[in-house]
Amino acid sequence: MRRLLLALPFALLPLAIAHAADEHDHDHEHGSLGAHEHGVGRLNAVLDGQALELELDSPAMNLVGFEHVATSAADKAKVAAARKQLENPLALFNLPKAAGCVISTQELNSPLFGDKPEADHDDDDHDDDAKDGAHEHHHDHSEIHAHFQFTCATPAALSNLDLTQVFKTFPATQKIQVQLIGPSGQQGVEATATAATLKF
Ligand SMILES: [Zn+2]
């Protein structure tokens, strides 16, 4: 799911963000995320003609409040609620009706959604616990990835990307590092609840 956006050049981004992207790739390969920072999400937003693509990568902590696979009814309900919000991206990303955006593809991935099923949590620490043979409690970080593609009949109505609703819906999200690519070029922007509107 990251293929498309990873092909884009990172040359224009501030070093810090490019570096974070590198770390993420590394982590992604190993399926375990040690480097992510709770409270911080990442969003790639690309507007190209009528095609709008949004790709959100977030620590699960930001969206559901935990990162383990839900087993209790209460945790399962939280996962289901977050998933439902993510399945309604037109509202979540507050896309203006005037832009006439229609979802063309939608993809959600997370170990919390059962994408990497693990029968028991004592067999997923390939590196650490294998050495000492002890089954210490180990916190595995988990992310939630949401990838959306839209076709927008009137892209001129998309002068802004408003993330207000994302911060409202998932208040544990303190900031989102946004890579924005649109008619005016590519920019790396940091969005917060009080500065949630970005210009394409
Ligand atoms: Zn984490």
Side-chain angles (χ1 to χ4, degrees):
M1 57 173 274
R2 304 188 55 81
R3 276 165 241 132
L4 204 153
L5 285 160
L6 284 172
L8 294 164
F10 283 98
L12 298 177
L13 289 174
L15 276 177
I17 292 183
H19 181 64
D22 287 341
E23 276 182 8
H24 182 265
D25 292 347
H26 176 79
D27 291 333
H28 200 69
E29 288 173 2
H30 293 81
S32 140
L33 295 143
H36 77 188
E37 187 182 343
H38 292 171
V40 182
R42 296 174 305 281
L43 176 70
N44 291 315
V46 181
L47 178 61
D48 180 14
Q50 293 194 321
L52 172 67
E53 180 167 7
L54 298 175
E55 188 175 25
L56 178 70
D57 292 336
S58 173
M61 187 65 79
N62 301 6
L63 307 190
V64 300
F66 54 85
E67 300 199 337
H68 53 264
V69 173
T71 48
S72 72
D75 284 355
K76 282 179 183 171
K78 283 178 195 159
V79 172
R83 187 171 186 142
K84 199 172 171 189
Q85 300 285 358
L86 291 168
E87 282 171 348
N88 189 8
L90 291 170
L92 187 62
F93 292 97
N94 202 15
L95 297 178
K97 281 205 173 67
C101 297
V102 177
I103 303 167
S104 47
T105 65
Q106 171 164 315
E107 192 185 321
L108 302 177
N109 300 99
S110 174
L112 275 67
F113 297 153
D115 290 327
K116 195 183 75 175
E118 280 158 342
D120 244 317
H121 30 237
D122 59 357
D123 61 356
D124 52 344
D125 300 325
H126 335 268
D127 301 328
D128 302 352
D129 289 356
K131 286 176 196 152
D132 53 25
H135 288 299
E136 289 173 39
H137 179 75
H138 178 82
H139 173 68
D140 266 334
H141 289 278
S142 301
E143 296 225 324
I144 293 176
H145 304 279
H147 188 190
F148 309 100
Q149 286 172 306
F150 309 87
T151 303
C152 303
T154 314
L158 280 171
S159 50
N160 293 321
L161 180 62
D162 178 13
L163 300 178
T164 304
Q165 200 55 39
V166 177
F167 287 104
K168 274 189 189 161
T169 306
F170 303 116
T173 301
Q174 286 149 17
K175 65 178 173 186
I176 301 176
Q177 292 168 341
V178 186
Q179 184 192 166
L180 204 65
I181 300 174
S184 55
Q186 178 174 348
Q187 33 176 336
V189 194
E190 207 167 85
T192 63
T194 51
T197 303
L198 314 172
K199 208 165 171 47
F200 260 119

